[in-house]
């Protein structure tokens, strides 16, 4: 019997939640050690970041990119290392936005401590590009043609009818009003900036310069890119611009996940391990024929948004590790 391949899905900006994965902190030794190692790389800022992470909900400050992005990288990387220790590293890594950088570090492309410092530094520079936001719309991108206010762009395609827009706050509010009047459901996301839009070009350029000073290696694990919706090539992996420029380009997450499900998901099958607290990374896959037929399946890695930060994290992590041991 052919065993399914496994895919670790890693979340990005907007999917951060208070105390995400904190139930494993001081419980799982590998997770705890990796979190502490990366926080220590930030010096005093790392101690402040730990305090922000462990603060219970509601905590609007977690939506500040200076807090959310380094934490998403640190937690995503630590979860991957802990999963590898408890079972094994999944066959494929697929990250959304910041999750793509966590995937690059897990695959050995870049050293995680250096990337953590760079990410923290780049978020501190976001004040120069001004405040913005992101808006989820229950629609396909083509349905929005001619409906977006100037300055608002498609920033991500997260599912069959899950499109994310980015732009200035005023333009997003006006666009949301126009879309609501046309019958589309909208929801502001937990972001204070217009990620994956041209507004990020200056920050991407600085980040590219930082990455160019780091050693880079070809991936030790397959990475499927939500920038290109294809497997990362060897030449792309060692190109700093490939990783840096994704913050100003749209995220093709659903296109990437669907490509995997259309091919390997319907033949050998895939085990999708969802590291997002809100299950948002695996939600669009539930309606794919490969999952409906049972050829591919989904397992959560953490407790739900209501449960995360407690024993549910340990329970779900152990179940995911066990499922991973049974896959190829």
């Amino acid at each position: 019997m052919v065993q399914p391949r496994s895919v670790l899905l890693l979340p990005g900006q907007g999917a951060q939640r208070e105390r995400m994965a904190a139930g494993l902190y001081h419980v799982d030794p590998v997770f705890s050690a990796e979190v502490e190692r990366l926080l220590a790389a930030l010096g005093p800022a790392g101690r402040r970041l730990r305090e922000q992470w462990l603060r219970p909900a509601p905590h609007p400050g977690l939506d500040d990119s200076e807090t959310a992005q380094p934490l998403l990288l640190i937690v995503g990387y630590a979860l991957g290392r802990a999963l590898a220790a408890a079972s094994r590293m999944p066959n494929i890594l697929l990250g959304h936005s910041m999750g793509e950088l966590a995937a690059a570090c897990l695959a050995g492309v870049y050293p995680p401590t250096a990337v953590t410092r760079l990410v923290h530094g780049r978020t501190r520079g976001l004040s120069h590009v001004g405040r913005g936001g992101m808006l989820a719309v229950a629609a396909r991108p083509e349905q929005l043609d001619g409906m977006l206010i100037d300055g608002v762009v498609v920033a991500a395609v997260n599912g069959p009818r899950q499109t994310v827009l980015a732009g200035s706050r005023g333009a997003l509010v006006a666009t949301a009003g126009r879309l609501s009047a046309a019958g589309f459901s909208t929801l502001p996301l937990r972001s204070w900036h217009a990620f994956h839009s041209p507004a990020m070009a200056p920050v991407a350029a600085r980040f590219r310069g930082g990455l160019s000073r780091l050693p880079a290696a070809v991936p030790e694990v397959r990475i499927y890119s939500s920038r290109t919706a294809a497997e990362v090539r060897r030449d792309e992996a060692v190109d700093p611009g490939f990783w840096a420029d994704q913050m100003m380009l749209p995220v093709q997450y659903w296109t990437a996940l669907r490509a995997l499900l259309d091919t390997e998901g319907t033949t050998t099958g895939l085990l999708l391990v969802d590291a997002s607290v809100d299950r948002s990374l695996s939600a669009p896959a539930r309606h794919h024929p490969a999952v409906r037929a049972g050829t591919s399946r989904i397992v959560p890695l953490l407790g739900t948004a209501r449960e995360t930060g407690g024993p549910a994290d340990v329970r779900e992590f152990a179940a995911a590790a066990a499922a991973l041991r049974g896959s190829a």
Side-chain angles (χ1 to χ4, degrees), residues 2-7 91-92 222 224 231 256-272 288 290 295-297 328:
V2 178
Q3 295 296 322
R5 294 189 177 93
S6 52
V7 186
N91 303 108
I92 305 167
R222 292 174 61 194
Y224 232 77
E231 188 167 346
L257 180 57
R258 186 179 60 198
L260 277 169
L261 287 166
D262 286 347
T263 54
E264 297 173 59
T266 58
T267 53
T268 59
L270 293 172
L271 177 70
L272 303 178
H288 191 279
T295 310
S296 296
R297 64 190 182 103

Side-chain angles (χ1 to χ4, degrees), residues 69-321:
Q69 295 217 343
L71 277 179
L72 285 163
L73 174 63
I74 290 169
V75 170
Y77 178 82
L79 282 172
R81 294 306 308 162
L83 196 57
S87 180
R88 59 179 182 77
M89 183 64 73
N91 303 108
I92 305 167
L93 305 173
L94 172 58
H96 186 292
S97 187
M98 181 54 61
E100 190 147 282
L101 279 177
C105 292
L106 284 169
V109 176
Y110 287 117
T113 52
V115 172
T116 299
R117 285 191 288 264
L118 283 178
V119 166
H120 182 256
R122 92 175 185 185
T123 57
R124 296 180 67 184
L126 284 170
S127 58
H128 300 298
V129 301
R131 288 294 175 94
M134 305 185 80
L135 181 75
V137 187
R140 299 185 302 274
E142 59 269 22
Q143 292 179 283
L144 306 179
D145 288 345
M147 301 194 68
L148 307 184
I149 301 293
D150 286 348
V152 174
V153 299
V154 172
V157 180
N158 292 338
R161 294 186 70 252
Q162 298 175 32
T163 302
V164 175
L165 307 177
S168 67
R169 290 202 175 271
L172 280 178
V173 169
T175 297
R178 180 182 287 185
L179 292 171
S180 296
F184 293 104
S185 298
T186 64
L187 178 69
L189 296 185
R190 299 183 65 167
S191 175
W192 294 357
H193 296 280
F195 289 104
H196 305 290
S197 78
M200 293 293 110
V203 185
R206 290 194 293 272
F207 191 55
R208 191 184 314 124
L211 287 176
S212 68
R213 293 188 288 272
L214 299 183
V218 296
E220 300 168 358
V221 182
R222 292 174 61 194
I223 306 174
Y224 232 77
S225 172
S226 59
R227 169 183 166 174
T228 62
E231 188 167 346
V232 176
R233 303 191 310 265
R234 295 167 67 93
D235 61 307
E236 290 173 332
V238 296
D239 176 9
F242 180 83
W243 306 102
D245 291 351
Q246 58 106 334
M247 70 184 303
M248 66 178 185
L249 298 172
V251 179
Q252 302 293 337
Y253 176 77
W254 171 235
T255 312
L257 180 57
R258 186 179 60 198
L260 277 169
L261 287 166
D262 286 347
T263 54
E264 297 173 59
T266 58
T267 53
T268 59
L270 293 172
L271 177 70
L272 303 178
V273 183
D274 188 346
S276 64
V277 172
D278 58 3
R279 313 290 199 260
S280 59
L281 295 179
S282 59
R286 295 186 182 280
H287 302 289
H288 191 279
V291 175
R292 290 205 309 267
T295 310
S296 296
R297 64 190 182 103
I298 298 164
V299 295
L301 190 57
L302 299 170
T304 63
R306 291 183 178 181
E307 300 173 309
T308 194
D313 285 343
V314 178
R315 181 183 68 246
E316 297 290 3
F317 182 87

